[in-house]
Amino acid sequence: MVTAALSPTIHLVEQPPMSHPHFHGPVQLRVEYLQNPLGMDEPRPRFSYRLVGVPSQRARRIQVREAGGALAWDSGWIEDALSQQIEYDGDALRPFTRYEWRVQVKDGAGRIGAWSEEEAWFETGFLGTPWADSAWTAGTPGPSASFPPQIFRRRFTLPRRKVRAARLYATALGVYQVELNDQVVGDDVLAPGWTDYFHRVQYQAYDVTALLKPGENSLYLTLAAGWHHGRNTQIWTVGTAYRHDAMFRCELHLHFADGTRQVIGSGPDFNRLEPACGPIRKSELYDGEAYEAWRTRKWYEAVAHFTPARATDADVAITWNSGAPVRRLQTRPPVAVARRPGGVWIVDFGQNLTGRERFTVHGPCRGATIVVRHGEMLNPDGSLYTANLRSADATTRYTCGDDAEETYEPVFAFYGFRYLEISGWPGRLRKRDIAAVVLSTDLPRTGLFQCSEPLLNRLFENTGWGLRSNFLDIPTDCPQRDERLGWTGDTQVFCNTATFCVHAPAFYTKWVTDLNLCQKDNGAYPAVSPCPEPSSAIHPPAAGWSDAGLVVPWNLYCKYGDRRILERHFDQMRAYLACVRGSNGGRLPVETAHYGDWLNLDAPTSKPLIATAYLAGMYQLLARIADAIGRHAEAGDARRHAAEVRDAFRKCFTDRDGLTEATQTAALLALHFDLLPARLVPKVVAALVHDIRDNRSLHLSTGFLGTPLLLPVLARHGHVDLAYDLLLQTTYPGWLYPVTQGATTMWERWNSFTLDGGFGDLHMNSFNHYAYGAVAEWFFETIAGISAPVDAYHHFTLAPQPGRRLEHAQAVFLSPYGPISSAWRRVKDRLQWDFSVPDNTTAAIVLPGTPDRPLPKGITSRNGTVTATPGDYSITLFPPEK
Ligand code: BGC
C-alpha cells in the first residue's frame, strides 16, 4: 500500500488494527456491517469479509454454527468472487442464541485456503418474539420537555446457581442510562437514539455478566426526556409531537450454568423514586443539564421513597439496534484558559466540536453553583458568542456536593462548542481541571486525503469535523442551536462524501428505515427524518431534500453493494416520485414549495426549474435502481417519465441560446442531470464558465444544491483547471475563505463570518454544518480518481486528474474489498503516480498522461482499456500536453 507518505493530521478514529499480520485469507468478518453484534435480529443476516494475501477468489464457503452446538448453515462451495452482502440461507435462527461463523475461500488457482481465524459471532435477541417478561414502565404521566429525569430501581437476589451469561435488553421513550451494582452499563450514550417513534424504537443489548455478584444486586435506571420529549419535537411541527409518556422497558436475562434461565423484567416490580429528587434536576437536549451533586444516592434513598412503578403500554414496535452507537470518541484538553473581567473564565479547545465538558472541582464547596455556557465563537471583545444558538440555552449548571474532589460530565446533554464560559468556579481554573469530551456515532475512519496545499488539507479536516459533529445517532444539520434535526437535503448532498470518510452503512441504513417510516400518506418524503410531524402540512415534497429517499439508498448500493435496501424501499421511492409528478394537477413544470438552492448568496434559481430538474434526475435514478434489482418493466416506465420531464424542462427553461435562467445552479442541474439537447451543452458550459471566471472573478454563487455539482460538472466538461482554480481561491465566497478565517469545521453560510460584515444572519448561522463539506467527494473521485462504482469496489476505476495547481496529492479509501490508494506527485517534467489495487478486485485505469516506459507487470492494455490486477504500482508519466 502506498501510504508511507501519508501523514494524516487528523486521527479522529484509528483504523482497526490488522489482527493477524501473517494470516492469508478472509479478515474483517462482519454481520449486517457490525463486528460481533449482540441482539442482532435480522432473520437473514448478510455476511462480509475481505481478503489479505489472496489476490483472487474462485469460490467461497461460509459455516454458521450455534455456539457449542449444531451447524446451522454450510453454504457449501459457491463459485464466485463475492465477499460482500452474502445472505444467510440456513436453518431459521433462534432467539437469544449465539452463533459463530467462519469463512474459507479457494484462490484463483483453485487452492483451498485456511478457515478464517478471527473471532466471528453474532447473538440474536428477541428476533420478533414478544417481550413477554416485561411491561413498559412509566414515571410521571404526560410528556414534558423539562421533567427532572426519573430514577427507577430494582433490587434482586441471585440464586446460588452460577450465572453463565447475563444480557440486559433495554429501551425507552426518552433516553436512559442503567447502572448495575453502581457501574454504568455499556459505553454508549443517549440510548436508545432517535427513530421514528410513531412506529418504532430500538433496543440495546448489553453483556452484563461481569457486573453481577452473588446475593443482593441492584439495578438503577435513569430516564430523561431525550428526543422523545425534547423541544426538538416542537419546532418544524404543527404541535403534534410524539404522544406517549416517558417510559422504559427492559429485560435482564440470566442464563445459569445448569441450563436454566430467569428473566427480571420491567413492570410493577420496579420502583420509582418519589418525588424525582435525584441529582440530575433537568436535562434537555437544546438547553443542557442541571446537576446537584449533594443529592447523592445515599441522601435521596434516606429522604424519599421508592414506590411501585406504573406498568403501561405503548403501540410502538421495539426493533433491534441496527445502527451504530454514539460514544465518547476523544477527550481533548483546552488550548487556553483565560480569566475575564467579572471573574468568568473562557476556555478554548481550539476545535469546534460536538460533545460536552468534563471537569474536576476541588472542594468541598457544597452549594456552590458552576455555570458553563457553550459557544462556537467569541465576540470581538473576547466574550462568548451565543447569539447563533437562538433559543437553545446550551448551559450546564453544576451545584457542588460534599466531596473533596468531584468530577462531572453531563449525562443526557450534548452541545456544539469550541469555547466555554465558566462562572462560579471556586478558585482558579487550570487547564487540567477541564476537558472536552467529543461525542459522535462511532464509525471507523475509511478515507484520508492529503495534498501540497495546506489550506486544502485543513478544509478536508474541517469536513471530517463537520461529519463527526453531525453524526449523532442521526445525520443532523448542526449540533448547537435549537434545531439539530435530520434534514434530508443536507444528508442527500453529503452522504457520498461521508461514505468515503467513514464506514457508515449501518448508520445510514437505520436512518433510511426511519425516513421510509416517516413517508407521508401522499407519498412525500419529509424534509427532516425522523420527522416528529405526521401530517404533510409543513413537509411537502421538497426538491433536493426529499430526494434523499432515492439518493442515499443508491449510494449504499454503490459503496457497499447493498441491494436489499433498494428492494425494501423501491415501492416507496416510486410512490414519492408519483407524488411529485402528480403535484400541480399533474402539469409540468413541477411547482412545489421547497427550499430552492438554499443559502445561495445572490443568485436564486427558480423553484420550478430546480424541482423539474430534480424530478427528471430522480426518474433516471429510479430506472437504474429498478434495473439493479431486476424490476426491468418499472425501469422502462421510469425512463419514459424521465424523458417526459426532461422534455418539459427543455420546453420551459431553454431557448435558442441556452437556459432561460442564468445562474450557476441552473446550468449545473441541467448539465448534471443531462437535461439539455446536445447543441445547447457547449453553450451552457460556456455560460457557466463565463459566469464563474469573468462575471464573478473566480467565485461561486451557489447554495446547498448547486455547490456539490460545481467541481464535478466543470471537470466532466473539460474544465478541470478551472475547477482547481475555483476550489483553491481563498477569497469570499469560496470553500477556502472560512479556512483563512480560522474555521475548524464547515460553516453553514459562505458568509457566516466575514471580515467586512462580521457575523452573518443571527437567525441561522451555524459554524458546524456539514453540507458544504460535500466538496470532499471530489478529492477522492477526481483529484485522486477513486471512482464510485456500483458493486462495493469489486471492480472500480482509477482516473486521477492532477490539474496544474497542486504539486502532489494522495487519497486512501478503505473500500469493502480492501484499501485503495492513489498518490501522484510532480517530479520535474514528469508525474509519478503510485496506486494500489486490493486483493480480489480489478481496476480500470485511466492514465493521467503517457507512461515513460512499458506498463508494469499486472497491468494490461487491451483495445484501449487498461486494467490493473491486485498489487502496488508506481508509474512515471509525461503529463498531457495542454
Ligand atoms: C437547516 C438546514 C436545512 C434547512 C432547510 C435549516 O434550518 O439548518 O441545514 O437544510 O433549514 O431549508
Side-chain angles (χ1 to χ4, degrees):
M1 267 203 52
V2 194
T3 48
L6 265 181
S7 54
T9 38
I10 35 174
H11 298 278
L12 289 180
V13 174
E14 291 302 330
Q15 204 57 257
M18 289 285 291
S19 40
H20 310 268
H22 305 299
F23 176 74
H24 284 190
V27 296
Q28 295 221 333
L29 277 62
R30 299 286 182 270
V31 184
E32 287 297 313
Y33 306 120
L34 305 171
Q35 185 177 12
N36 300 341
L38 277 183
M40 196 296 303
D41 288 349
E42 181 59 57
R44 289 168 70 90
R46 293 159 303 173
F47 300 101
S48 69
Y49 59 91
R50 66 184 177 85
L51 294 177
V52 287
V54 184
S56 67
Q57 169 184 308
R58 179 184 288 183
R60 60 182 158 90
R61 181 180 185 187
I62 289 182
Q63 285 186 339
V64 181
R65 180 182 297 280
E66 245 184 67
L71 205 59
W73 185 44
D74 185 342
S75 70
W77 284 107
I78 307 289
E79 301 270 328
D80 71 22
L82 280 190
S83 79
Q84 301 295 313
Q85 307 280 350
I86 300 167
E87 195 172 270
Y88 176 77
D89 194 19
D91 299 345
L93 297 176
R94 301 193 309 129
F96 310 116
T97 306
R98 182 176 287 221
Y99 293 88
E100 292 160 351
W101 66 285
R102 58 183 190 165
V103 57
Q104 182 181 35
V105 303
K106 285 183 194 169
D107 69 10
R111 285 184 296 251
I112 300 180
W115 284 105
S116 51
E117 291 182 352
E118 212 166 284
E119 180 187 357
W121 51 263
F122 60 94
E123 195 176 290
T124 53
F126 291 78
L127 207 63
T129 58
W131 285 55
D133 295 304
S134 60
W136 279 105
T137 302
T140 323
S144 147
S146 55
F147 63 78
Q150 302 174 59
I151 296 176
F152 299 85
R153 187 182 73 189
R154 174 73 203 261
R155 287 185 172 146
F156 57 96
T157 310
L158 274 187
R160 276 173 193 282
R161 285 164 292 163
K162 184 172 160 28
V163 177
R164 181 179 52 78
R167 300 286 181 266
L168 177 71
Y169 306 102
T171 188
L173 297 176
V175 285
Y176 72 93
Q177 178 176 276
V178 177
E179 287 156 86
L180 196 49
N181 295 324
D182 297 324
Q183 295 208 49
V184 173
V185 171
D187 59 359
D188 51 344
V189 296
L190 295 168
W194 193 2
T195 47
D196 174 28
Y197 297 132
F198 290 115
H199 293 99
R200 68 166 191 147
V201 62
Q202 297 194 136
Y203 76 89
Q204 288 67 49
Y206 303 99
D207 180 350
V208 292
T209 319
L211 300 182
L212 292 171
K213 55 181 197 199
E216 275 289 297
N217 285 259
S218 66
L219 185 153
Y220 286 81
L221 184 144
T222 310
L223 174 66
W227 291 280
H228 193 279
H229 295 290
R231 291 211 286 127
N232 53 297
T233 59
Q234 290 156 20
I235 58 163
W236 292 102
T237 63
V238 288
T240 358
Y242 305 123
R243 59 200 179 285
H244 293 294
D245 294 347
M247 56 179 83
F248 75 95
R249 192 157 186 167
C250 69
E251 289 192 6
L252 174 62
H253 287 213
L254 303 169
H255 302 267
F256 297 99
D258 63 6
T260 56
R261 203 180 75 132
Q262 185 189 342
V263 178
I264 294 171
S266 55
D269 290 345
F270 271 64
N271 290 314
R272 181 165 66 94
L273 182 66
E274 183 62 48
C277 57
I280 308 179
R281 303 312 304 143
K282 176 185 147 178
S283 216
E284 205 287 327
L285 293 178
Y286 293 164
D287 294 331
E289 191 156 296
Y291 192 92
E292 295 180 2
W294 56 268
R295 295 170 180 266
T296 59
R297 183 159 289 163
K298 203 167 154 208
W299 173 81
Y300 66 68
E301 298 220 317
V303 301
H305 303 283
F306 275 93
T307 59
R310 187 164 57 94
T312 178
D313 209 359
D315 52 344
V316 178
I318 306 176
T319 60
W320 73 285
N321 195 356
S322 61
V326 178
R327 293 203 174 103
R328 297 168 180 86
L329 292 194
Q330 277 186 0
T331 304
R332 295 176 73 90
V335 294
V337 172
R339 187 160 206 155
R340 292 209 16 99
V344 303
W345 298 91
I346 293 285
V347 181
D348 177 6
F349 290 101
Q351 174 62 53
N352 199 3
L353 53 85
T354 295
R356 51 211 189 187
E357 69 283 4
R358 183 189 294 151
F359 55 74
T360 302
V361 201
H362 300 273
C365 22
R366 184 187 170 101
T369 296
I370 297 165
V371 178
V372 184
R373 297 169 69 225
H374 302 74
E376 300 183 287
M377 302 288 271
L378 296 180
N379 290 308
D381 68 357
S383 60
L384 191 74
Y385 172 78
T386 56
N388 68 332
L389 304 184
R390 301 194 307 213
S391 76
D393 196 26
T395 300
T396 301
R397 289 184 175 78
Y398 178 84
T399 304
C400 300
D402 295 315
D403 289 342
E405 193 176 284
E406 292 175 6
T407 296
Y408 170 71
E409 175 193 328
V411 183
F412 296 117
F414 71 91
Y415 309 99
F417 65 102
R418 169 176 168 168
Y419 300 95
L420 303 176
E421 181 211 81
I422 302 188
S423 48
W425 187 265
R428 185 180 151 74
L429 178 66
R430 296 156 307 174
K431 277 190 192 169
R432 64 171 182 271
D433 296 330
I434 190 151
V437 180
V438 176
L439 294 184
S440 177
T441 293
D442 188 2
L443 303 174
R445 190 160 185 96
T446 50
L448 297 172
F449 170 81
Q450 200 166 55
C451 70
S452 51
E453 173 50 63
L455 292 176
L456 204 58
N457 294 338
R458 182 68 224 195
L459 177 68
F460 182 68
E461 216 172 298
N462 291 357
T463 304
W465 277 106
L467 184 160
R468 288 287 168 206
S469 306
N470 283 294
F471 272 34
L472 202 122
D473 195 60
I474 61 160
T476 60
D477 56 337
C478 56
Q480 72 298 83
R481 67 175 178 230
D482 54 355
E483 191 140 6
R484 314 185 199 181
L485 299 176
W487 283 98
T488 46
D490 307 40
T491 297
Q492 189 262 120
V493 297
F494 190 67
C495 74
N496 188 27
T497 295
T499 46
F500 273 117
C501 294
V502 292
H503 190 64
F507 173 77
Y508 278 127
T509 300
K510 166 188 172 280
W511 186 76
V512 166
T513 304
D514 291 305
L515 176 65
N516 279 277
L517 288 171
C518 292
Q519 189 174 34
K520 306 299 173 199
D521 292 346
N522 62 1
Y525 284 120
V528 295
S529 173
C531 182
E533 173 54 58
S535 89
S536 56
I538 55 169
H539 293 285
W545 268 251
S546 307
D547 302 305
L550 282 83
V551 174
V552 179
W554 178 249
N555 187 255
L556 300 182
Y557 173 68
C558 295
K559 285 265 173 56
Y560 307 112
D562 187 354
R563 262 172 71 104
R564 184 183 279 176
I565 200 163
L566 301 181
E567 286 163 352
R568 282 201 172 153
H569 304 302
F570 181 74
D571 290 330
Q572 289 186 254
M573 297 176 190
R574 281 175 67 208
Y576 160 64
L577 293 189
C579 160
V580 180
R581 180 66 190 85
S583 60
N584 194 26
R587 286 181 297 276
L588 291 170
V590 181
E591 304 243 5
T592 50
H594 60 90
Y595 305 101
D597 187 23
W598 187 245
L599 299 186
N600 74 86
L601 278 174
D602 56 357
T605 305
S606 79
K607 290 187 178 178
L609 186 150
I610 293 174
T612 309
Y614 254 96
L615 182 59
M618 289 304 113
Y619 268 126
Q620 295 162 8
L621 181 55
L622 188 73
R624 297 182 76 184
I625 292 172
D627 278 335
I629 59 174
R631 292 178 68 162
H632 300 296
E634 281 112 327
D637 289 346
R639 278 199 185 89
R640 275 187 292 283
H641 279 300
E644 177 201 29
V645 181
R646 179 203 61 203
D647 290 347
F649 181 92
R650 290 178 182 177
K651 205 163 136 229
C652 302
F653 304 112
T654 64
D655 57 23
R656 254 188 15 208
D657 301 319
L659 287 165
T660 53
E661 296 184 29
T663 61
Q664 293 174 11
T665 292
L668 292 165
L669 290 170
L671 292 165
H672 174 71
F673 290 127
D674 292 317
L675 302 180
L676 299 170
R679 67 183 171 79
L680 286 186
V681 170
K683 292 187 178 189
V684 171
V685 172
L688 173 67
V689 168
H690 179 69
D691 190 62
I692 295 171
R693 199 176 48 202
D694 308 319
N695 292 349
R696 294 179 183 270
S697 322
L698 217 56
H699 289 97
L700 50 77
S701 66
T702 47
F704 273 32
L705 298 185
T707 304
L709 308 181
L710 271 165
L711 305 183
V713 166
L714 286 173
R716 179 176 156 208
H717 289 278
H719 293 278
V720 76
D721 284 331
L722 179 63
Y724 273 102
D725 288 345
L726 183 63
L727 172 64
L728 292 171
Q729 69 85 8
T730 54
T731 53
Y732 165 80
W735 289 280
L736 293 187
Y737 176 72
V739 181
T740 66
Q741 301 305 301
T744 59
T745 42
M746 301 305 297
W747 293 352
E748 179 170 23
R749 298 171 174 274
W750 298 118
N751 56 357
S752 282
F753 179 85
T754 56
L755 286 180
D756 298 341
F759 289 116
D761 184 353
L762 280 187
H763 298 102
M764 239 189 45
N765 195 20
S766 143
F767 288 91
N768 205 349
H769 232 75
Y770 64 46
Y772 286 143
V775 67
E777 69 192 5
W778 200 75
F779 304 179
F780 290 96
E781 292 183 344
T782 304
I783 300 183
I786 304 172
S787 71
V790 287
D791 61 355
Y793 296 86
H794 199 185
H795 305 288
F796 61 98
T797 303
L798 281 177
Q801 298 196 49
R804 55 178 160 65
R805 291 283 303 268
L806 299 177
E807 279 306 302
H808 58 84
Q810 50 194 331
V812 178
F813 171 56
L814 179 58
S815 80
Y817 278 86
I820 301 171
S821 70
S822 169
W824 51 261
R825 170 179 298 277
R826 292 178 202 289
V827 185
K828 300 194 180 132
D829 62 337
R830 313 276 165 94
L831 193 69
Q832 187 192 320
W833 182 33
D834 296 349
F835 61 92
S836 58
V837 177
D839 280 343
N840 197 23
T841 68
T842 50
I845 301 296
V846 182
L847 296 165
T850 312
D852 69 352
R853 67 195 76 166
L855 289 169
K857 200 165 160 274
I859 302 185
T860 52
S861 175
R862 206 164 290 138
N863 304 329
T865 308
V866 184
T867 310
T869 52
D872 297 338
Y873 299 96
S874 187
I875 300 180
T876 312
L877 313 112
F878 296 105
E881 294 285 318
K882 283 283 158 190

